[in-house]
Amino acid sequence: MSWMGFLCHPVWAVSTALLAVVVRLQRRGRWDPQASDVQLKGKTAIVTGANTGIGKFIALDFARRGARVILACRSEARGTGALQEIREKSGNSDVHLRLVDLSSLDSVREFAKRILEEEKALHILVNNAGVSGLPRQITEDGFDVCFATNHLGPFLLTNLLLDLMKRSSPARIVTVSSVNHKKGRVDFAHFHGENLTYYMDHVYNHTKLHNTICTNELARRLQGTGVTANSVHPGIVMTEVMRHYPLVIRCLFKLIGFFFFKSPEEGAVSPIYCAVAEETEGITGKYFDSDCSLALPAPLARDTALAVKDFEICERLTSKL
């Protein structure tokens, strides 16, 4: 029997459908954002990569709770579309688009400068934007484009907005990492595109490890300020993050994902939980799994000496000489 014939076999189809139902029930997690009555009126939130996927549903949830929401997006056209959709679905007109290219440190600085000029407070920052599977490309700043987009850009953005968040405390920083950080390695030459294997999610995994490491160190530095910082795994989600993968891989991902993976709305649950839930207030320097439970990150992400070194190197790399 061919593999296509096997996929079409009635027994396989029924068992797969039943298993998919079980998986969908299990993946809902233990926290339902729609059952949470937490309100964010008077609060300001920034969500990066909010024009699509997980980021759009995070921003929509915040808007429904009454927050002033800033969509930090690279594409004006797609950002405008998300802006209109979120305003319409939430009934909240206090949703705004601000453009930023996280792969460019100058763009991040310009974005942060505008935020600091326009906003009196910032209570939630969700570092959600990310890319995967990109071929080798070095940015104008001299960094690998995936490292710049996934880690160095968000790292700089967070640090530029810290004083505003401290003045707005209590405030929360949520960085969308991935369970794939456990497959990552720390090699500081990676930042400049050296010693990297450009295949599927290899580079992505390294960036997600740095996300988790630096978030933990940031949390340590923020102790006593009223600002918390946590990283979170959203689950295996059907988003556009794989748009740069080979066509065959994308097709297989969509086929399997239809039955077993999370939708973007479901993937937004754990980041929303970290950002708004009453039970996560005051929790900092932790890693949350996709079911909204606390989990141990990779051993490298628990190495405090490495965290200090990683953070200091990222500070030097993103400083304006």
Side-chain angles (χ1 to χ4, degrees), residues 74 101 103-104 131 133-149 190-194 196 198 203 244:
R74 186 179 63 172
D101 180 355
S103 71
S104 166
V131 294
L134 290 173
R136 176 179 168 81
Q137 181 182 341
I138 303 300
T139 69
E140 291 183 357
D141 300 300
F143 304 124
D144 168 81
V145 68
C146 189
F147 265 88
T149 303
H190 286 169
F191 290 126
H192 298 287
E194 300 169 11
L196 285 171
Y198 288 90
V203 179
H244 302 290

Side-chain angles (χ1 to χ4, degrees), residues 198-232:
Y198 288 90
Y199 179 69
M200 293 179 62
D201 62 357
H202 287 201
V203 179
Y204 174 84
N205 299 341
H206 304 322
T207 67
K208 294 292 112 177
L209 176 57
H210 284 280
N211 282 168
T212 308
I213 291 172
C214 286
T215 299
N216 291 346
E217 173 60 15
L218 176 63
R220 186 188 69 80
R221 296 181 179 214
L222 288 172
Q223 288 285 354
T225 66
V227 181
T228 61
N230 295 292
S231 53
V232 58

Side-chain angles (χ1 to χ4, degrees), residues 50-283:
N51 61 283
T52 188
I54 294 172
K56 185 166 73 173
F57 283 101
I58 294 173
L60 175 60
D61 179 271
F62 293 170
R64 284 172 169 162
R65 296 177 192 275
R68 173 178 172 83
V69 184
I70 298 170
L71 315 181
C73 306
R74 186 179 63 172
S75 168
E76 184 170 10
R78 300 184 71 184
T80 300
L83 174 70
Q84 294 171 345
E85 181 182 345
I86 291 171
R87 282 181 174 177
E88 181 180 338
K89 288 184 175 179
S90 67
N92 183 349
S93 61
D94 200 8
V95 181
H96 309 274
L97 173 65
R98 299 291 181 264
L99 299 181
V100 61
D101 180 355
L102 290 169
S103 71
S104 166
L105 298 187
D106 282 344
S107 177
V108 172
R109 292 187 185 100
E110 284 298 316
F111 173 87
K113 180 182 177 183
R114 183 174 180 183
I115 294 297
L116 295 175
E117 290 172 347
E118 296 179 346
E119 303 302 327
K120 297 179 180 178
L122 178 59
H123 304 91
I124 300 172
L125 171 63
V126 180
N127 291 311
N128 161 76
V131 294
S132 181
L134 290 173
R136 176 179 168 81
Q137 181 182 341
I138 303 300
T139 69
E140 291 183 357
D141 300 300
F143 304 124
D144 168 81
V145 68
C146 189
F147 265 88
T149 303
N150 293 2
H151 183 62
L152 291 173
F155 178 91
L156 175 61
L157 176 63
T158 301
N159 279 278
L160 291 174
L161 298 178
L162 275 184
D163 285 343
L164 179 60
M165 299 195 77
K166 290 175 184 177
R167 293 196 301 269
S168 312
S169 65
R172 305 189 193 190
I173 299 166
V174 178
T175 296
V176 178
S177 181
S178 169
V179 70
N180 277 22
H181 83 274
K182 296 181 179 181
K183 297 191 289 184
R185 292 187 298 109
V186 174
D187 180 341
F188 296 116
H190 286 169
F191 290 126
H192 298 287
E194 300 169 11
N195 304 335
L196 285 171
T197 300
Y198 288 90
Y199 179 69
M200 293 179 62
D201 62 357
H202 287 201
V203 179
Y204 174 84
N205 299 341
H206 304 322
T207 67
K208 294 292 112 177
L209 176 57
H210 284 280
N211 282 168
T212 308
I213 291 172
C214 286
T215 299
N216 291 346
E217 173 60 15
L218 176 63
R220 186 188 69 80
R221 296 181 179 214
L222 288 172
Q223 288 285 354
T225 66
V227 181
T228 61
N230 295 292
S231 53
V232 58
H233 170 49
I236 304 176
V237 185
M238 295 288 289
T239 69
E240 296 182 8
V241 73
M242 295 185 68
R243 61 186 177 275
H244 302 290
Y245 284 40
L247 178 61
V248 173
I249 299 297
R250 281 185 280 131
C251 290
L252 285 173
F253 183 82
K254 288 182 179 180
L255 176 63
I256 298 171
F258 178 79
F259 294 103
F260 303 109
F261 298 163
K262 287 186 175 184
S263 67
E265 185 173 10
E266 291 168 329
V269 171
S270 52
I272 294 169
Y273 175 74
C274 290
V276 308
E278 292 177 336
E279 54 263 46
T280 56
E281 184 176 353
I283 294 177

